[in-house]
Amino acid sequence: MGSRNLSSGIPLDTADTVLERHLLVDTSKKATSGDKSSLTNRDQNGVLGQVSSPTSSGRRDMFSRSFSGAKSPIDDVDLEDGEEAKDREKITRSHKIKIHNQALLSGLAYCLSSCSMILVNKFVLSSYNFNAGITLMLYQNFVSVIIVSILSSFSIISTEPLTWRLIKVWLPVNVIFVGMLITSMFSLKYINVAMVTVLKNVTNVITAIGEMYLFSKQHERKVWAALFLMIISAVSGGITDLSFHAVGYGWQILNCFLTASYSLTLRRVMDTAKQVTKSGNLNEFTMVLLNNVLSLPLGIILIFVFNEVDYLSETPLLKMPMFWVVITFSGFLGLAISFTSMWFLHQTGATTYSLVGSLNKIPLSIAGILLFKVPTSLENFLSILFGLLAGVFFAKAKMRERSQS
């Protein structure tokens, strides 16, 4: 699922929550240099911040062969006259169009999977009125483990062996990861999609403050200005929210703290985790497998702690085949965010990836309001739009900050 960062993937989206499963794929920065990095971070906000991790040379070759194509036929053309020169120019032009289409296709796939994940989860929790968010998270993670294990066994993807040393190093990160997913589920049940998206901007504020105190990182004025606008939009959105639910807002604020903690903790743990792997590398697929495998026993314990067992034994939803189809589909979507985010990042870059992730929240919020018939007012709609635009402004400010550094 982040698979998530999400994620999905959550399994990121991360930089990665169920909303940002990918989240995993999307929420923190690479702590070392030298290897090519890719974002993994459930935006939270639908993910959120950004998680980068090094990728193995083998997988880079695989992505290069799969998405960029083999050596162009123009390399061996002997240009002796004007016609051959024109032929080469035509082939070069078509090759560029092919790459452009790959970037467009990967971007659409990423946006579609991340938006669909949030909307499907909202549908399960609200429309089906499913009151077992931990169970839903557990099942989605189980689906992700099965899929990643199958792909790894057929050598379609590469993953590191899950040794006890690696598990012990990664366990603190996983505990935060599970808390992030669960609080995201609980908040999504009570709050509409648009307000969840806006409130997730608070994660960026917490992460920026954490970076300043933990990593002595200084941010530009434009970054702080964008963060201030995000806070204003979150407060005004909550005040004007016609479907305000205090419990849901409480879960969402807790989710913001956990998501920021996940991003900051991951940066500290990643270097140590790489040292205890057999290859000395830690790719996104291994992080997806780690997070989802370790979440299973913890999720089972939490099901009993939150007394979801009694609810599961009584609810008629588990006897409905279509319900199983929907939640299984949500599990596939969580993992899809991880794969599509890596594909999109490979075809474009971190700058485009960040900007598209911010712009993606706008159609997601509109779709959430229309599909679930959310009661809203002009003031609330404007505050939501203000928050979404503040997110875009933040992404552009971070890009400028990165380019200057």
Side-chain angles (χ1 to χ4, degrees):
M1 237 143 105
S3 69
R4 298 168 180 213
N5 325 254
L6 274 26
S7 149
S8 124
I10 19 232
L12 41 236
D13 27 315
T14 340
D16 37 21
T17 60
V18 171
L19 304 181
E20 265 93 31
R21 195 171 294 258
H22 286 8
L23 303 202
L24 291 186
V25 186
D26 301 343
T27 45
S28 117
K29 290 185 179 177
K30 176 178 168 186
T32 61
S33 61
D35 286 329
K36 203 172 187 180
S37 61
S38 63
L39 305 176
T40 76
N41 100 165
R42 98 216 221 275
D43 281 61
Q44 285 237 93
N45 335 320
V47 134
L48 19 257
Q50 291 179 345
V51 173
S52 308
S53 67
T55 58
S56 65
S57 59
R59 195 172 79 260
R60 287 200 300 267
D61 292 338
M62 178 187 74
F63 271 88
S64 181
R65 288 193 298 270
S66 301
F67 301 136
S68 298
K71 182 180 179 183
S72 172
I74 65 175
D75 295 339
D76 298 324
V77 175
D78 184 14
L79 299 180
E80 295 181 357
D81 54 33
E83 285 188 16
E84 291 179 345
K86 291 180 180 179
D87 291 341
R88 175 167 182 164
E89 187 176 338
K90 290 179 180 178
I91 296 173
T92 303
R93 191 180 299 112
S94 65
H95 188 61
K96 290 181 179 178
I97 292 174
K98 180 179 179 181
I99 295 176
H100 177 73
N101 289 338
Q102 285 284 342
L104 178 61
L105 182 61
S106 60
L108 289 175
Y110 166 66
C111 292
L112 182 62
S113 60
S114 59
C115 288
S116 299
M117 182 69 206
I118 299 174
L119 296 175
V120 169
N121 278 335
K122 178 65 176 177
F123 178 73
V124 172
L125 295 169
S126 297
S127 299
Y128 271 111
N129 198 26
F130 187 60
N131 294 320
I134 300 175
T135 302
L136 178 59
M137 176 216 69
L138 183 67
Y139 182 73
Q140 290 173 339
N141 289 7
F142 177 72
V143 171
S144 296
V145 169
I146 296 299
I147 298 173
V148 172
S149 299
I150 292 175
L151 294 177
S152 180
S153 64
F154 284 98
S155 300
I156 298 175
I157 62 174
S158 62
T159 56
E160 294 290 328
L162 303 187
T163 62
W164 280 112
R165 292 181 63 195
L166 180 58
I167 290 174
K168 285 190 292 184
V169 170
W170 199 259
L171 193 58
V173 177
N174 184 258
V175 171
I176 300 175
F177 171 74
V178 171
M180 181 178 71
L181 296 183
I182 292 175
T183 53
S184 175
M185 288 286 191
F186 288 165
S187 66
L188 194 60
K189 179 174 177 60
Y190 299 106
I191 310 177
N192 67 75
V193 173
M195 280 309 305
V196 166
T197 304
V198 171
L199 291 173
K200 280 183 175 296
N201 285 334
V202 177
T203 300
N204 295 323
V205 180
I206 300 172
T207 303
I209 295 174
E211 287 176 335
M212 185 173 63
Y213 285 100
L214 297 177
F215 301 104
S216 300
K217 181 174 181 179
Q218 300 300 319
H219 297 286
E220 292 184 348
R221 291 182 179 179
K222 287 187 177 181
V223 173
W224 288 113
L227 294 174
F228 178 74
L229 294 177
M230 288 178 178
I231 296 176
I232 296 298
S233 68
V235 173
S236 61
I239 294 175
T240 58
D241 187 3
L242 298 182
S243 56
F244 178 87
H245 198 291
V247 174
Y249 273 71
W251 282 117
Q252 183 54 52
I253 295 300
L254 180 58
N255 173 261
C256 291
F257 278 96
L258 288 172
T259 303
S261 299
Y262 177 81
S263 173
L264 298 170
T265 304
L266 188 63
R267 300 183 196 184
R268 291 183 173 275
V269 171
M270 193 174 290
D271 280 342
T272 305
K274 286 192 296 184
Q275 294 173 5
V276 299
T277 59
K278 290 188 176 181
S279 68
N281 192 23
L282 188 67
N283 59 37
E284 296 90 345
F285 299 111
T286 302
M287 288 194 290
V288 167
L289 189 61
L290 261 174
N291 273 326
N292 288 281
V293 167
L294 296 181
S295 70
L296 298 182
L298 184 57
I300 292 173
I301 294 174
L302 291 175
I303 286 176
F304 286 94
V305 171
F306 282 82
N307 198 29
E308 289 189 358
V309 177
D310 292 341
Y311 170 79
L312 294 173
S313 63
E314 298 174 357
T315 180
L317 290 174
L318 299 184
K319 299 177 182 179
M320 298 171 55
M322 184 53 64
F323 177 76
W324 284 101
V325 171
V326 172
I327 62 174
T328 302
F329 179 60
S330 70
F332 276 90
L333 283 175
L335 193 58
I337 297 176
S338 297
F339 286 99
T340 56
S341 61
M342 284 185 282
W343 180 21
F344 183 41
L345 182 66
H346 176 82
Q347 293 298 324
T348 54
T351 299
T352 304
Y353 181 92
S354 301
L355 185 59
V356 170
S358 298
L359 293 173
N360 191 37
K361 298 174 187 177
I362 297 176
L364 172 62
S365 299
I366 296 174
I369 293 175
L370 296 178
L371 291 176
F372 298 100
K373 300 178 181 179
V374 177
T376 186
S377 62
L378 179 60
E379 293 83 1
N380 184 245
F381 181 78
L382 290 176
S383 65
I384 292 172
L385 182 61
F386 181 71
L388 297 175
L389 294 177
V392 176
F393 180 45
F394 173 77
K396 294 187 69 175
K398 289 290 289 183
M399 291 173 198
R400 183 174 179 274
E401 184 181 68
R402 265 199 302 269
S403 64
Q404 290 183 345
S405 62

